[in-house]
Amino acid sequence: MVLLRRADGQPVKRVLLLATTTGYQIRSFGEAAEALGVRLVFASDRCDQLEDPWWDQAIPVRFQDEARSVDAVVAACGDSAPDGIVAVGDRPAVLAAHLADAFGLPGHAPAAAGKCGNKLTTRQALQAAGLPTPWFVSMPIGGDAEWQSVRVEYPAVIKPLALSGSRGVMRVDDAGEFVAAFERLRRLLEAPDLRAERDAAHGQALVEGFIPGAEYAIEGLLTDGTLQLLAICDKPDPLDGPFFEETIYRMPSLASEEVQQRIGEAVAAASIALGLHHGPVHAECRVFGETVYVLEVAARPIGGLCSRALRFRSSTPEAAGGTGAVVSLEQVILRHATGERVTSYVREDAASGVMMVPIPKRGVFRSVSGVHEARRVPGIEDIRITAKADTTIVPLPEGKSYLGFIFARATTPEAVDEALREAHARLRFEIDREVIVTA
Ligand code: ADP
Ligand code: CA
């Protein structure tokens, strides 16, 4: 790898970007790198699908094969180690941790990143540290659901160990629901696409106590074990099951200062309990009474398009290039990855939010109308329909995608909420029944 110099004579910093996707977030990192004069080196299992100009020397890796992927990246870097590493996605986060080790860069410990990607090891780590967790028990996906169903307390939640986006997560209120949900999860985990992942975690299910209460998503950065909260997002729609589709993320949080403080402390404690040390974290928690239950901490930033709802400004304007400009989450993460201090970055003053538009029913997505009217709702900044026309769309708990995303900014979180709901109400999705052809 050649050492480049910037116009000011400083060597150009290089950051390794690891990802399984080639979508929006990767482009956003590309734009952030351009703005900062950082060179990105992309490592992915999708090198054949790259169109953008940023990735001329992408390194092919296989996230399932960590040892070989580490060797491939180290070999590709030759004798010039990167200045930082950023991962998008749970599997890339584990490889990033191994690579941080290999290059002697600060990062999350490989074992910690691995634990975060598995809901059972996450529960075990939090419990071992004496942190609030629901009761939990794991069982093989081929196990005896009837036997188990009379041995758990209700309401309970059944979930896979290593899926995301609430896929396969179901609330059950009695033994009958338990048996039905367990069977449904078994079918999901034994489907060809998940089998192809050859992940041992897909052979087990986690059963745990249902925690009532309000839910929050937290975006943060760990620097040498110290957590900087970048944002606490409210999830204003009740998430009481039986399935848990995410809809609105809204910020700043309307929780009291005291609750926000407790959320921050709980996420910091959970991160340390999991062994996380340095780099982005994305956490989710439920607050019930005085207790903050951390459901998950991921060793990576929030995924996909949602990061667009987050913007930051520096409380010391010089740090943002003297302009006082608002910058993307990706810019803050890249600065942090190259060893810059980013403690002066705080969320922008505006309230903002995103709605992940849920799939209402299974079928063939044909078209959407009303986008123009929805965009005209005051506060709406953008609407992205991500579902592809004429393809089958699948709702939760089996599905793994959304119809699209709606973004809003306003002066108050309540106004953001209202704008998102009004825009959503103006969208009309045409979804046809699937025609199943039998021979
Ligand atoms: P995923 O990784 O797919 O997001 P989670 O374990 O975070 O899986 O569960 C998804 C959602 O399901 C959570 O955001 C929450 O709303 C709900 N949920 C999961 N576990 C529980 C629980 N024990 N009690 C209450 N709600 C839960
Ligand atoms: Ca989650």
Side-chain angles (χ1 to χ4, degrees), residues 258-431:
E258 192 208 328
V259 168
Q260 294 195 38
Q261 167 102 22
R262 273 196 271 129
I263 291 174
E265 287 164 4
V267 172
S271 302
I272 300 308
L274 285 157
L276 295 172
H277 180 71
H278 194 96
V281 289
H282 176 77
E284 271 151 1
C285 68
R286 286 210 158 201
V287 180
F288 182 58
E290 298 275 287
T291 311
V292 180
Y293 291 88
V294 174
L295 290 177
E296 287 201 295
V297 187
R300 52 153 178 87
I302 188 170
L305 276 162
C306 287
S307 74
R308 293 186 54 182
L310 287 160
R311 276 199 214 145
F312 300 87
R313 61 175 175 82
S314 176
S315 49
T316 52
E318 320 74 74
T323 58
V326 229
V327 301
S328 64
L329 173 66
E330 288 77 11
Q331 276 210 30
V332 178
I333 290 173
L334 275 188
R335 285 182 187 271
H336 184 257
T338 55
E340 235 182 83
R341 260 175 78 85
V342 293
T343 44
S344 70
Y345 282 92
V346 291
R347 222 187 58 75
E348 65 183 328
D349 297 320
S352 70
V354 52
M355 179 190 275
M356 292 153 248
V357 182
I359 292 174
K361 61 173 182 189
R362 187 184 173 109
V364 180
F365 170 60
R366 294 297 181 197
S367 63
V368 54
S369 55
V371 176
H372 194 63
E373 292 81 347
R375 277 185 204 277
R376 283 210 303 260
V377 173
I380 294 301
E381 288 199 328
D382 198 8
I383 297 177
R384 297 285 184 100
I385 304 301
T386 46
K388 295 212 168 34
D390 306 324
T391 59
T392 299
I393 51 172
V394 182
L396 281 174
E398 284 82 12
K400 56 174 174 181
S401 60
Y402 302 105
L403 285 172
F405 299 81
I406 309 175
F407 297 92
R409 280 196 165 73
T411 48
T412 65
E414 292 90 338
V416 165
D417 206 284
E418 217 172 286
L420 292 171
R421 291 180 201 281
E422 173 63 27
H424 182 230
R426 294 184 184 192
L427 297 177
R428 293 274 174 273
F429 292 95
E430 197 194 326
I431 300 167

Side-chain angles (χ1 to χ4, degrees), residues 119 165-166 215 235 246 284 295-296:
K119 294 179 205 302
S166 300
E215 190 164 317
K235 301 188 184 182
E246 308 250 37
E284 271 151 1
L295 290 177
E296 287 201 295

